Each structure stands twice: as C-alpha cells, then as structure tokens.
Amino acid sequence: MLPSTTRPKQTGGRELARIVFDQETIAKRVAELGQEITAAYPDGELLVLGLLKGSFIFLGDLVRQIDRPLQVDFLVAASYGADTVSSGTVRLLYDPETRLDGKHILVVEDIVDTGKTLNRLLSILAARSPKSLEICALLHKHVAEHLGREVKFVGFDCPKEFIVGYGLDHAENFRHLPYIASLR
Ligand code: PRP
C-alpha cells in the first residue's frame, strides 16, 4: 500500500510499485551530500556539471546545499530510448561552454546504472585538463562492470528496479514526482 502523500493525479493513474525514497529522506541525504562536497573542496574553482535531463531536480537541490563559491553548467547525453533497458549508445547533444582546465569538475548524475554514460563522458572531460574530476550520483545501482572511475559522492545505493521520480523518467514521464519510486 503506497503512503497517502503520493498524489495519484501526478502519475496519470499509473500505479507505482512502491516509494523507494520519500521526500524527507531525499532532502536529508542531499543536505548531507552538500556538506560532504563543501568539506571536500577547500580551495580552487568548482564547476558543477549536471548531466541532463535526469539530474535537473537533484542538481538544483544539491547546489543550494553547497556552502562555497561554485559555477554550474550542463551536459546533455542520451543513452536510453523509450525502453527500460539501456541501449548502450551514448550521444552527446550539448557540451558545456565553460572551459574546464584548472577547475575542480564535479559531474552530477541522477543514477549510475550500467556506467556506460559516465565512462564515455569522463574520458571526454578528462582530456580537457581539469584540476580534478569527480562524480556525484544520487543513486548507484552497483551493477556497472567496468566503471572507469569511482563515484566519490553517492546519495543512495539503489535497488535493481526501474526507478522514476525526482528527475528520473520512463519514456519522459514521471520526472516531476517529488519522491523516488519503482514502476510495476
Ligand atoms: C539515464 C540516467 C543516467 C544514465 C545512466 O539517462 O539519467 O544519465 O541513463 O545509465 P547508464 O549508467 O546505464 O549509462 P538517459 O540517457 O535516460 O537520459 P535522461 O537523463 O535525459 O533521462
């Protein structure tokens, strides 16, 4: 039985399997991540690079919990179509305008699943001589076989279910749910 805090109209009547992380749990963990990131970067320019579209809500909440100067830019890559299984193809549709050399780069992802998206992106970004290059992922499935780089900041370990909400979609739907849920 889902808690009454879900708003059935938001899902267009589609039934969710369960709430995986509710709003309060997410807010608490995002605040902790903000503190961890603040402490990890005592000096230097910090550029937070949000990977769209999935990270848009997480990124917005996260940067407001980071207590230091920073800049924000975005990357757009697409790897999934309207299916629930990764296609394995990553397309870079938007590249940040900002220069990366000499800056601390923190890539913000909503979810690490197969790791293909990150592996492809990180090799592109590493070639641009950042001072450091790290990843912050809200959710980590821990199923990626060849992740080229450890995910330094992880919000939650993610169950091996198809997850939507708080930025994550299925066929572009459900991104606006304020909680994280799994689909039936
Ligand atoms: C999803 C998700 C991650 C990526 C994770 O993005 O937002 O970026 O896939 O999968 P992987 O670890 O198997 O590569 P998607 O391509 O669906 O685009 P979106 O962010 O616009 O939803």
Side-chain angles (χ1 to χ4, degrees), residues 41-61:
Y41 293 99
D43 52 33
E45 287 182 85
L46 174 61
L47 174 63
V48 179
L49 268 186
L51 184 54
L52 292 175
K53 301 174 203 170
S55 74
F56 81 106
I57 293 177
F58 176 44
L59 180 94
D61 285 347

Side-chain angles (χ1 to χ4, degrees), residues 124-144:
I124 295 170
L125 299 177
R128 299 182 188 178
S129 310
K131 190 168 182 181
S132 68
L133 181 57
E134 300 291 354
I135 307 151
C136 174
L138 176 66
L139 300 164
H140 196 329
K141 277 197 173 172
H142 298 284
V143 294

Side-chain angles (χ1 to χ4, degrees), residues 52-54 78-80 109-111 113-117 169 175:
L52 292 175
K53 301 174 203 170
S79 62
Y80 294 5
E109 249 293 33
D110 52 345
I111 186 166
D113 190 347
T114 66
K116 284 173 184 155
T117 307
D169 75 308
R175 293 192 196 271

Side-chain angles (χ1 to χ4, degrees), residues 93-181:
L93 308 177
Y94 169 78
D95 209 356
E97 301 283 344
T98 330
R99 292 184 60 173
L100 307 191
D101 54 296
K103 294 179 182 171
H104 293 296
I105 306 299
L106 180 62
V107 176
V108 174
E109 249 293 33
D110 52 345
I111 186 166
V112 181
D113 190 347
T114 66
K116 284 173 184 155
T117 307
L118 273 184
N119 280 343
R120 168 81 201 283
L121 289 178
L122 289 173
S123 58
I124 295 170
L125 299 177
R128 299 182 188 178
S129 310
K131 190 168 182 181
S132 68
L133 181 57
E134 300 291 354
I135 307 151
C136 174
L138 176 66
L139 300 164
H140 196 329
K141 277 197 173 172
H142 298 284
V143 294
E145 285 178 13
H146 303 290
L147 207 53
R149 195 176 288 253
E150 188 193 339
V151 182
K152 183 163 181 172
F153 305 98
V154 178
F156 303 103
D157 292 338
C158 183
K160 291 158 193 65
E161 297 165 55
F162 197 88
I163 298 294
V164 296
Y166 198 69
L168 289 94
D169 75 308
H170 174 244
E172 297 301 329
N173 296 309
F174 310 115
R175 293 192 196 271
H176 65 315
L177 303 182
Y179 48 81
I180 293 167

